[in-house]
Amino acid sequence: MNDIKQREESILAEFEMFDDWMEKYEYIIDLGKELPLLSDDEKTNERLIEGCQSRVWLNTKCTDNVIEFTADADAIITKGIIALLINLVNKLKPQDLVAYDFGIIKEIGLQEHLSPTRSNGLNGMILRLKNEALKHCIS
Amino acid sequence: MSNTPIKTFNVREIREQFPALRQQIYGKNLIYFDNGATSQKPQVVLDAINKFYSKENANIHRGVHYMSQKATTEYEESRKKIQRYINARKSEEIIFTKGTTDGINLVAHSYGELLKPGDEIMISAMEHHSNIVPWQMLCMRKGLTLRVVPINERGELLMDTFEQMLSKKTKLVAITHISNTLGTINPVKDIIVKAHAVGAKVLIDGAQSIQHIKIDVKDLDCDFYVFSSHKVFGPTGIGVLYGKEQLLDSMPPYQGGGDMISKVTFERTTYNELPFKFEAGTPHVAGGICLGKAFDFLDSIDLKAAEEHERFLAKYAEDTLDTFEGVKIIGEAKNKTSVVSFSVKGIHPFDIGTLLDKQGIAVRTGHHCTQPLMDFFKILGTVRASFAFYNTKQEIDTFVEAFEKSLNMLK
Ligand SMILES: Cc1ncc(COP(=O)(O)O)c(C=O)c1O
């Protein structure tokens, strides 16, 4: 879990540079643009994370007890947010991901997206990441 | 009403009465363009809410004591104000509800009880889910058929098709006066005449019309008219169902409880008369009284000038947005109000809404509770700016700048 502390710190450092919300979102949008697309075949209903307004697909692979994610979304901000989450927890051991608290979300001010009704469904994304990890922990 | 005071309309003066408009969001002056979802409240309404709970709070229709009687009088006075405002024949025809949704459910349950298998309910393709789902549920319960009047690409009802769909089987036409997503003003007067000609009753969903156009239920000759207080500058949690007296009399009660009864024994209960027959339990007393204050406020301004101002804003916003490449206005009816819904090619409405929000601008994005309508236009959702008379041209200019900035970030 040392590794994740480092990742948190580098994200925090990034966000500290921003003066206002528009800059934060510019960064999130860039993350979204950098995230490789999923092919249309990969955008299956099983991979869809139920959100309210925009659709997010999450693809999971687990080999040698390392869990790896790719994702896509039809709104670029949503895609940036899932990219941020993936950067944070990609290639962890599933059990470490299950135990991880995502407290950093609050620190970088994205908690407003966390309420259950918030339309970009950050809550749903986090739950889904953990559920995927849980699935792979058990199997 | 002999010496009515001269009514004026001055946006700056009106804005001063809405404290919610004077605040900063993320360090930016708030621009509130989500009036279709709910309106802000004028000081008179806020003061009345405060005063009611500070000094006048009491249950109504039951108490012998001073406060109860005073609250009862005010509540009933408010009912009369609403009656006068929408020009109903009697105050008994004004039923207090929780809102539009509640009013529609009341009619679906109560009037619905009078219907038989094979009867038809007619709605339109541009209805809010509130004016779809209660009818679907009724149709399931009673074996009725739900029919949907189609629209054209501009978002206007196909009136010829509507006429062809009408028959003796049609028992109720439930239609929105103004589409919350498209802004289309439907030709309800014409619809009512045609529906009546086959013996059907008509319910008008007035959620989006009461705050924009002068409503006269007698002139419209609708059988039911429903609206929500919160969209017409009043408090949330209260609304009105207007119904013609004879019709309401013929309908069974919706919910049972206190206030709606005349006499209760375990063997048999007789019901109270109108409007109380449909108002079971302690109502939203403060809401009812303060909705009356919202109508006082409306009564004090020149509504014709206000409506013109709103239409000007919508036209100005549409014309400006139209100059952006990839922008498509959704809802181009010839007769529409101050709702501007649009999509941008290749950009998700959620992204635009989020970036506008961060610039202090409140718009609505998504399907606006009209999913079948989104399916018709083959889009996932729109960005919707909906204006009230307290909005300004300057706010639209700021909105357009913020929109342009958002587009540049998203491209
Ligand atoms: C046309 C229309 N009908 C019904 C409703 C439902 O109103 P309420 O949620 O206040 O009951 C709305 C509100 O958005 C509306 O715009």
Side-chain angles (χ1 to χ4, degrees):
Chain A
M1 291 292 269
N2 270 342
D3 186 34
I4 196 149
K5 277 273 162 277
Q6 271 172 17
R7 292 189 210 173
E8 280 187 343
E9 268 157 31
S10 88
I11 291 173
L12 279 174
E14 198 83 52
F15 272 80
E16 261 163 30
M17 296 188 327
F18 305 135
D19 291 331
D20 68 12
W21 271 104
M22 293 306 269
E23 288 181 6
K24 281 188 198 176
Y25 273 97
E26 213 151 0
Y27 174 72
I28 290 170
I29 289 166
D30 283 341
L31 289 179
K33 286 178 182 165
E34 285 162 17
L35 190 71
L37 304 173
L38 292 186
S39 69
D40 282 346
D41 292 345
E42 287 173 304
K43 293 181 186 170
T44 59
N45 277 339
E46 293 75 56
R47 293 198 175 105
L48 192 64
I49 303 175
E50 288 299 330
C52 184
Q53 285 199 20
S54 70
R55 292 176 299 174
V56 194
W57 296 268
L58 184 73
N59 191 14
T60 314
K61 201 170 78 185
C62 193
T63 34
D64 301 332
N65 204 32
V66 168
I67 192 160
E68 212 174 324
F69 299 103
T70 45
D72 207 341
D74 56 6
I76 194 76
I77 291 175
T78 314
K79 201 172 163 198
I81 290 173
I82 190 80
L84 184 87
L85 295 176
I86 290 178
N87 290 350
L88 193 63
V89 302
N90 213 19
K91 300 188 186 173
L92 288 184
K93 293 192 180 112
Q95 54 272 38
D96 288 345
L97 173 51
V98 172
Y100 181 56
D101 71 353
F102 287 90
I104 186 177
I105 297 299
K106 211 166 172 174
E107 285 180 66
I108 58 178
L110 282 179
Q111 75 275 18
E112 56 154 16
H113 288 296
L114 269 179
S115 81
T117 53
R118 190 65 200 199
S119 38
N120 80 344
L122 179 54
N123 241 346
M125 292 183 214
I126 291 178
L127 262 176
R128 182 63 170 265
L129 288 167
K130 286 192 170 237
N131 273 336
E132 292 288 320
L134 209 54
K135 251 187 349 208
H136 288 95
C137 260
I138 293 162
S139 58
Chain B
M1 296 273 160
S2 50
N3 54 350
T4 349
I6 295 168
K7 296 176 185 178
T8 57
F9 178 75
N10 176 315
V11 182
R12 183 138 20 112
E13 282 168 17
I14 282 176
R15 286 181 72 83
E16 277 169 16
Q17 302 188 47
F18 287 83
L21 300 177
R22 294 191 298 270
Q23 58 182 315
Q24 294 212 322
I25 306 287
Y26 308 113
K28 304 272 165 35
N29 289 332
L30 167 69
I31 294 183
Y32 187 76
F33 284 172
D34 196 17
N35 296 285
T38 197
S39 60
Q40 297 305 336
K41 319 301 171 204
Q43 194 64 52
V44 281
V45 170
L46 301 174
D47 288 346
I49 294 172
N50 192 6
K51 184 160 159 247
F52 178 81
Y53 284 117
S54 315
K55 295 213 175 97
E56 300 167 350
N57 176 49
N59 210 330
I60 56 168
H61 298 149
R62 313 171 184 186
V64 290
H65 62 81
Y66 175 83
M67 281 169 78
S68 172
Q69 294 193 359
K70 183 157 187 293
T72 306
T73 308
E74 287 223 25
Y75 190 73
E76 292 308 321
E77 264 313 307
S78 178
R79 195 191 301 276
K80 288 192 190 116
K81 269 182 213 167
I82 296 162
Q83 173 217 339
R84 286 194 296 268
Y85 190 87
I86 66 171
N87 198 26
R89 283 172 194 83
K90 293 182 170 180
S91 65
E92 286 81 353
E93 296 177 319
I94 305 298
I95 315 286
F96 281 120
T97 63
K98 287 188 285 185
T100 307
T101 307
D102 193 38
I104 294 172
N105 276 284
L106 190 162
V107 175
H109 274 87
S110 173
Y111 176 75
E113 271 307 302
L114 309 175
L115 304 182
K116 302 190 178 54
D119 287 347
E120 294 181 358
I121 307 277
M122 207 180 287
I123 60 172
S124 88
M126 65 174 89
E127 298 309 317
H128 188 281
H129 295 163
S130 293
N131 198 28
I132 301 175
V133 185
W135 306 118
Q136 282 174 330
M137 292 164 77
L138 171 65
C139 288
M140 295 268 282
R141 280 199 306 275
K142 306 282 290 186
L144 317 181
T145 307
L146 187 65
R147 306 201 61 196
V148 183
V149 184
I151 57 172
N152 64 22
E153 286 292 324
R154 289 194 301 276
E156 295 163 326
L157 287 176
L158 298 182
M159 287 299 287
D160 289 347
T161 316
F162 165 67
E163 256 184 276
Q164 287 158 15
M165 288 167 73
L166 282 172
S167 76
K168 277 206 197 106
K169 284 195 247 168
T170 319
K171 295 298 174 227
L172 182 77
V173 176
I175 208 131
T176 194
H177 195 169
I178 294 181
S179 158
N180 62 311
T181 306
L182 308 170
T184 310
I185 305 177
N186 286 317
V188 284
K189 225 173 150 172
D190 196 20
I191 289 169
I192 291 162
V193 169
K194 287 178 173 139
H196 283 171
V198 298
K201 305 295 182 205
V202 181
L203 176 143
I204 302 296
D205 174 349
Q208 298 291 339
S209 63
I210 186 91
Q211 67 280 52
H212 291 300
I213 45 189
K214 188 77 183 102
I215 300 300
D216 180 333
V217 291
K218 224 183 318 184
D219 177 58
L220 281 175
D221 199 27
C222 54
D223 301 283
F224 303 106
Y225 181 91
V226 289
F227 68 88
S228 304
S229 153
H230 70 93
K231 291 184 200 273
V232 62
F233 314 106
T236 54
I238 185 127
V240 167
L241 159 68
Y242 155 82
K244 284 183 181 162
E245 185 183 24
Q246 244 191 335
L247 189 56
L248 291 174
D249 264 334
S250 74
M251 289 160 43
Y254 169 39
Q255 293 177 326
D259 250 20
M260 55 77 72
I261 48 90
S262 165
K263 182 165 173 46
V264 178
T265 65
F266 285 118
E267 289 69 40
R268 187 167 170 275
T269 292
T270 50
Y271 304 128
N272 204 339
E273 51 204 37
L274 289 174
F276 311 112
K277 180 171 99 176
F278 289 109
E279 296 180 352
T282 300
H284 185 357
V285 184
I289 292 173
C290 299
L291 172 57
K293 306 291 178 198
F295 281 110
D296 285 344
F297 167 75
L298 282 175
D299 258 335
S300 74
I301 60 182
D302 178 351
L303 290 173
K304 232 182 152 48
E307 191 188 334
E308 266 170 41
H309 173 67
E310 288 177 348
R311 291 212 193 195
F312 160 77
L313 293 175
K315 177 88 172 55
Y316 180 65
E318 267 183 24
D319 289 351
T320 319
L321 286 169
D322 228 8
T323 61
F324 286 87
E325 208 187 299
V327 168
K328 184 173 178 347
I329 304 288
I330 309 291
E332 297 170 292
K334 280 187 209 94
N335 194 10
K336 66 178 278 192
T337 80
S338 53
V339 171
V340 178
S341 241
F342 62 96
S343 62
V344 186
K345 201 167 177 214
I347 296 181
H348 199 284
F350 172 77
D351 288 328
I352 297 170
T354 305
L355 294 182
L356 287 175
D357 172 50
K358 292 297 171 295
Q359 297 172 84
I361 299 166
V363 295
R364 183 78 174 261
T365 65
H367 55 62
H368 318 295
C369 296
T370 54
Q371 281 174 351
L373 189 59
M374 296 296 102
D375 293 343
F376 172 80
F377 283 104
K378 297 189 179 59
I379 49 178
L380 288 168
T382 73
V383 180
R384 182 188 72 183
S386 50
F387 309 114
F389 48 59
Y390 46 57
N391 290 124
T392 65
K393 176 171 178 282
Q394 206 176 3
E395 285 182 311
I396 293 177
D397 289 334
T398 310
F399 156 75
V400 171
E401 271 170 42
F403 173 63
E404 191 166 14
K405 183 167 178 189
S406 311
L407 283 189
N408 290 336
M409 282 170 67
L410 293 165
K411 271 186 180 146

